[in-house]
């Protein structure tokens, strides 16, 4: 081949490449222009709220768009298809599809629903489809017997009720509910066994269950029983079970504490809800387990089926394994409250909670900053601490530090409930003599006990005093950490406060327990405690103790009960008198002479004599 021939060949190749690039560029520009026109049309429709009339769909013939929709270039094909769909969604095609979906033959209905499903996948077209009546038509198709028709109609309807625009989605949900979607989905969940169909309809049910305005109607239509049947049939389908359990929990929260709500929950238990809950809690999937815990909490917090669930083997262990030390472990408080309800209903369950593997997981919750979980954890540990073997685990956990922090930072609304529980934990741990050396090393517990003594909650005072009494018998080193001058003054003030007779009795016992520990002297107990107390008694009950007065105890039951309690306190205080008299004999030579020199003891002997006389009468 000559040189000129090679030049012609090379020129032809260059020309072909140039032509190809020019044509590709032109096609690409056409795709860009079509996409721009489509976006401009959408903006105009959003701004004006009108369907597509004119614009790109009017200037470009349908035949040309059809050819472009079959082009090899993906972007050009997609742009042409979107323009065709946009023109079909708001025009005659959409109205024909709605009519065919309702009145056509089975084949026509499937084709029409398939078209509506394709059109509904774009959020921008759904408003125009809704105006054409697509939602009502799809609701009708969901109730059909044709599996493919039901599946496609439910999928298309899910696009409407899950619209990205919240206001539009609310309107679509209302229209579907008015068209009867709730009754149709309930019947599908009850009768259908196809997993795909049930899953799509369960997703629609979840969308409605997430809105409280539909809860009443869903409960009346039997959604709880229908969803429970689906949950029992779900088996290994984790996604379906997650959707169903979420819907059940949300509907159960609507029931409240009324008698009708209790009846609904009891029906669920009769339908096998206990088996479903236990299976879900043991699931490896975090979503299924979390909603299973939520449903369990709905039952036990209302006292429905608590004993039945507490007897489920391995349920307590599975719940403890769900406790997490993550920063945002939102299920911890549900798990702890459920464990508290189960343990309160069954001693066996509480014993299982107190086992070291389970108790360690519960105590680990106090290492994270979660106030709500701490509150329920305190109430649970206060009951588990009744088992002596738990004390060594409690002392070695972050709980003592958490108790001190909670005693200082609890909100006022929780102080009356939790401060006594904190004091009960300390009181029970001080009852164990084997842990006396460990108690002496815990300044946090001693500081917490002092804070409880200074609180304004009477039950916290009582439990804190009981902790001092128990520690006086088991760990005197710990008592020395707790009892300061301020604590002694608080006990003496409680002793002479006649407005709280139970606290008065505990204060007397606490002071009597401190005497052998040398933390209160006999002189202080007698002259600052016993004598002011008896003087107050004689002043308060002067008419009742005077044998010649009309204020006798006969016929006044309340007064007799009060003075009987006062006598119990006096008995505790007088029980230490031999120690005081022995000290007086050693120091002053003759005890009775020392007693007679103090006029205050006249009240002591007159109180005892008059009270014995009244008791004899």
């Amino acid at each position: 081949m000559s040189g000129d021939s090679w030049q012609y060949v090379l020129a032809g190749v260059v020309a072909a490449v140039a032509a190809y690039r020019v044509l590709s560029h032109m096609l690409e520009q056409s795709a860009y222009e079509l996409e721009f026109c489509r976006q401009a049309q959408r903006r105009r429709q959003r701004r004006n709220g009108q369907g597509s009339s004119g614009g790109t769909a009017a200037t470009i013939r349908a035949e040309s768009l059809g050819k472009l929709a079959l082009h090899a270039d993906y972007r050009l094909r997609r742009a042409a298809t979107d323009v065709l769909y946009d023109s079909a969604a708001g025009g005659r095609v959409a109205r024909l599809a709605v009519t065919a979906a309702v009145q056509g033959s089975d084949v026509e209905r499937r084709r029409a629903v398939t078209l509506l499903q394709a059109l509904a996948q774009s959020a921008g077209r759904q408003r125009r489809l809704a105006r054409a009546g697509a939602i009502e038509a799809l609701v009708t198709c969901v109730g059909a017997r044709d599996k493919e028709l039901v599946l496609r109609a439910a999928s298309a309807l899910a696009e409407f009720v899950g619209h990205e625009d919240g206001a539009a989605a609310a309107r679509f949900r209302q229209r579907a509910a008015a068209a009867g979607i709730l009754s149709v989905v309930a019947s599908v969940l009850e009768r259908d066994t196809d997993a795909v169909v049930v899953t799509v309809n369960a997703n629609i049910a979840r969308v409605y269950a997430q809105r409280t305005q539909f809860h009443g109607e869903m409960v009346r239509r039997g959604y709880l029983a229908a969803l429970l049947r689906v949950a029992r049939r779900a088996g290994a389908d984790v996604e379906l079970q997650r959707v169903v359990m979420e819907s059940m929990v949300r509907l159960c929260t609507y029931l409240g504490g009324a008698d009708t709500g209790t009846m609904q929950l009891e029906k669920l238990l009769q339908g096998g809800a206990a088996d479903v809950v236990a299976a879900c809690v043991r699931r490896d999937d975090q979503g299924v387990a979390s909603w299973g815990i939520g449903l369990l909490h709905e039952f036990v917090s209302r006292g429905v089926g608590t004993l039945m669930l507490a007897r489920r083997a391995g349920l307590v262990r599975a719940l403890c394994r769900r406790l997490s030390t993550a920063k945002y472990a939102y299920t911890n408080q549900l798990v702890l409250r459920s464990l508290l309800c189960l343990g309160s209903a069954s001693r066996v369950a509480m014993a299982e909670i107190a086992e070291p593997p389970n108790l360690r997981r519960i105590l680990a919750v106090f290492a994270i900053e979660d106030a709500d979980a701490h509150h329920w954890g305190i109430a649970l540990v206060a009951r588990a601490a009744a088992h002596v073997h738990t004390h060594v685990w409690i002392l070695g956990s972050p709980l003592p530090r958490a108790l001190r922090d909670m005693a200082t930072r609890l909100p006022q609304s929780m102080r009356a409930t939790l401060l006594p529980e904190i004091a009960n934990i300390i009181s029970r741990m001080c009852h164990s003599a084997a842990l006396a050396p460990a108690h002496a090393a815990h300044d946090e517990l001693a500081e917490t006990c002092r804070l409880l003594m200074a609180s304004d909650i009477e039950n916290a005072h009582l439990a804190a005093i009981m902790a001092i009494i128990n520690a006086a018998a088991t760990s005197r080193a710990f008592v020395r950490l707790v009892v300061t001058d301020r604590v002694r003054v608080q006990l003496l003030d409680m002793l002479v406060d006649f407005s709280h007779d139970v606290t008065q009795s505990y204060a007397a016992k606490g002071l009597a327990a401190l005497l052998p520990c040398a933390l209160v002297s006999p002189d202080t107990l007698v002259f600052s405690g016993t004598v002011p107390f008896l003087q107050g008694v004689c002043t308060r009950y002067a008419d009742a103790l005077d044998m010649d007065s009309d204020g006798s105890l006969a016929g006044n039951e309340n007064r007799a009960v009060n003075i009987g309690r006062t006598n119990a306190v006096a008995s505790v205080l007088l029980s230490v008198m031999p120690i005081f008299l022995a000290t007086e004999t050693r120091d002053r030579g003759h005890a009775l002479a020392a007693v007679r020199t103090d006029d205050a003891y006249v009240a002591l002997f007159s109180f005892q004599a008059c009270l014995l006389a009244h008791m004899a009468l």
Side-chain angles (χ1 to χ4, degrees):
M1 186 179 292
S2 65
D4 293 338
S5 300
W6 281 109
Q7 289 179 359
Y8 290 137
V9 172
L10 183 59
V13 171
V14 171
V17 171
Y20 175 77
R21 295 188 63 178
V22 169
L23 290 175
S24 299
H25 180 70
M26 292 174 62
L27 291 173
E28 188 175 358
Q29 284 296 114
S30 300
Y32 287 153
E33 290 176 1
L34 286 172
E35 180 68 19
F36 177 79
C37 292
R38 188 174 63 87
Q39 295 293 339
Q41 184 184 18
R42 284 186 176 181
R43 287 194 293 270
R44 286 194 301 272
Q45 291 168 358
R46 294 193 189 102
R47 184 170 59 251
N48 300 326
Q50 300 175 353
S52 63
S53 59
T56 304
T59 57
I60 301 179
R61 293 183 304 171
E63 294 81 359
S64 300
L65 289 173
K67 293 179 180 179
L68 291 175
L70 301 176
H71 198 275
D73 186 85
Y74 170 75
R75 287 173 293 183
L76 181 60
R77 184 171 69 247
R78 179 178 177 182
T81 303
D82 288 340
V83 172
L84 283 173
Y85 279 166
D86 287 342
S87 61
R92 182 169 173 270
V93 176
R95 291 191 294 272
L96 290 175
V98 169
T99 304
V102 177
Q103 302 175 357
S105 63
D106 293 342
V107 176
E108 292 174 346
R109 295 182 73 184
R110 283 195 294 269
R111 290 176 178 175
V113 171
T114 302
L115 176 59
L116 292 176
Q117 180 187 10
L119 295 176
Q121 290 179 358
S122 174
R125 307 183 193 113
Q126 291 177 4
R127 292 184 177 88
R128 286 174 286 162
L129 290 173
R131 284 195 293 270
I135 293 178
E136 290 77 4
L138 291 173
V139 171
T140 303
C141 294
V142 171
R145 294 288 181 177
D146 190 337
K147 172 185 172 181
E148 182 181 356
L149 182 64
V150 171
L151 179 60
R152 292 188 177 278
S155 301
L157 195 59
E159 298 288 346
F160 281 96
V161 298
H163 193 278
E164 60 185 15
D165 185 354
R171 291 194 299 270
F172 294 156
R173 284 192 295 269
Q174 289 287 359
R175 289 189 60 173
I181 186 60
L182 293 178
S183 61
V184 171
V185 171
S187 63
V188 171
L189 294 178
E190 288 179 357
R191 75 168 189 265
D192 212 311
T193 58
D194 185 84
V196 180
V197 174
V198 171
T199 301
V200 175
N201 282 272
N203 277 290
I204 297 177
R206 177 175 63 174
V207 172
Y208 280 92
Q210 290 172 348
R211 277 77 186 177
T212 56
Q213 65 194 85
F214 300 104
H215 284 183
E217 184 178 356
M218 294 181 74
V219 171
R220 289 192 298 272
R221 293 189 180 278
Y223 265 81
L224 285 172
L227 291 170
L228 179 61
R229 295 191 193 96
V230 175
R232 297 190 66 179
R233 297 195 306 260
D237 193 340
V238 175
E239 180 62 29
L240 176 59
Q241 200 160 35
R242 187 187 302 123
V243 171
V244 171
M245 294 301 293
E246 178 184 352
S247 302
M248 290 184 66
V249 172
R250 293 186 184 277
L251 292 179
C252 285
T253 57
Y254 167 80
L255 297 176
D259 294 337
T260 55
T262 302
M263 292 175 58
Q264 290 280 355
L265 293 177
E266 289 176 350
K267 290 180 180 179
L268 289 180
L269 284 178
Q270 296 172 2
D275 298 330
V276 174
V277 168
C280 289
V281 173
R282 296 189 183 95
R283 278 292 189 114
D284 294 332
D285 184 77
Q286 183 65 34
V288 175
S290 299
W291 290 114
I293 292 169
L295 186 57
L296 170 67
H297 177 265
E298 293 298 327
F299 279 105
V300 298
S301 62
R302 293 180 171 89
V304 179
T306 306
L307 189 59
M308 179 191 302
L309 291 166
R311 292 172 178 171
R312 290 281 168 175
L315 182 59
V316 170
R317 188 183 307 109
L319 285 173
C320 292
R321 291 178 60 188
R322 291 298 171 185
L323 291 171
S324 173
T325 55
K327 184 177 181 181
Y328 300 105
Y330 60 93
T331 58
N332 278 352
Q333 52 184 301
L334 298 181
V335 171
L336 292 171
R337 188 180 182 188
S338 301
L339 288 173
L340 177 62
C341 295
L342 294 174
S344 301
S346 171
R347 293 183 179 179
V348 176
M350 182 56 70
E352 191 174 357
I353 292 171
E355 291 179 357
N358 299 328
L359 186 63
R360 283 200 301 268
R361 293 187 174 93
I362 296 172
L363 295 175
V365 174
F366 293 97
I368 61 176
E369 293 293 334
D370 189 347
D372 293 332
H374 288 182
H375 299 161
W376 291 112
I378 290 295
L380 180 60
V381 174
R383 287 157 178 76
H387 299 266
V388 180
H389 68 272
T390 63
H391 297 173
V392 63
W393 299 102
I394 293 175
L395 287 176
S397 71
L399 180 59
R401 187 177 297 104
L403 293 179
R404 180 191 60 189
D405 296 340
M406 292 181 69
T408 56
R409 296 185 300 184
L410 269 179
Q412 189 65 33
S413 59
M414 297 182 178
R415 291 173 64 84
T417 304
L418 290 181
L419 286 182
E421 300 287 4
I422 294 173
N424 284 331
I425 294 174
I426 300 176
S427 175
R428 286 172 172 170
M429 288 194 297
C430 291
H431 202 278
S432 178
L435 297 177
H439 291 150
H442 272 278
D443 295 335
E444 296 94 347
L445 290 178
E447 184 180 354
T448 305
C449 200
R450 290 194 296 270
L451 292 171
L452 294 171
M453 286 291 298
S455 68
D456 54 348
I457 307 300
E458 182 180 7
N459 289 336
H461 296 162
L462 302 181
I465 295 172
M466 185 56 65
I468 293 175
I469 296 172
N470 292 339
T474 58
S475 177
R476 294 189 176 182
F478 180 72
V479 175
R480 295 188 182 94
L481 291 176
V482 175
V483 179
T484 59
D485 293 337
R486 183 179 179 182
V487 172
R488 278 189 287 269
V489 171
Q490 289 171 344
L491 289 173
L492 292 171
D493 291 341
M494 294 176 187
L495 181 63
V496 297
D497 183 6
F498 288 89
S499 61
H500 298 87
D501 51 353
V502 179
T503 306
Q504 203 174 39
S505 175
Y506 272 72
K509 295 175 183 178
L511 289 168
L514 294 180
L515 189 60
C517 301
L519 292 175
V520 62
S521 64
D523 288 349
T524 303
L525 181 56
V526 172
F527 291 104
S528 300
T530 305
V531 172
F533 170 77
L534 293 175
Q535 287 177 335
V537 170
C538 292
T539 303
R540 186 179 180 87
Y541 300 105
D543 56 342
L545 296 176
D546 188 359
M547 298 299 298
D548 298 329
S549 68
D550 295 334
S552 64
L553 298 177
N556 194 339
E557 183 178 355
N558 291 333
R559 197 169 180 81
V561 170
N562 290 337
I563 201 169
R565 292 173 180 173
T566 305
N567 182 41
V569 178
S571 301
V572 174
L573 294 174
L574 293 176
S575 65
V576 301
M577 286 301 296
I579 301 176
F580 175 71
L581 294 176
T583 305
E584 290 290 300
T585 303
R586 185 181 66 248
D587 296 342
R588 304 185 185 182
H590 198 276
L592 293 178
V595 171
R596 291 193 184 96
T597 58
D598 198 327
D599 294 337
Y601 283 92
V602 177
L604 186 155
F605 291 115
S606 65
F607 169 73
Q608 290 291 312
C610 294
L611 189 61
L612 289 173
H614 275 287
M615 292 175 65
L617 293 176

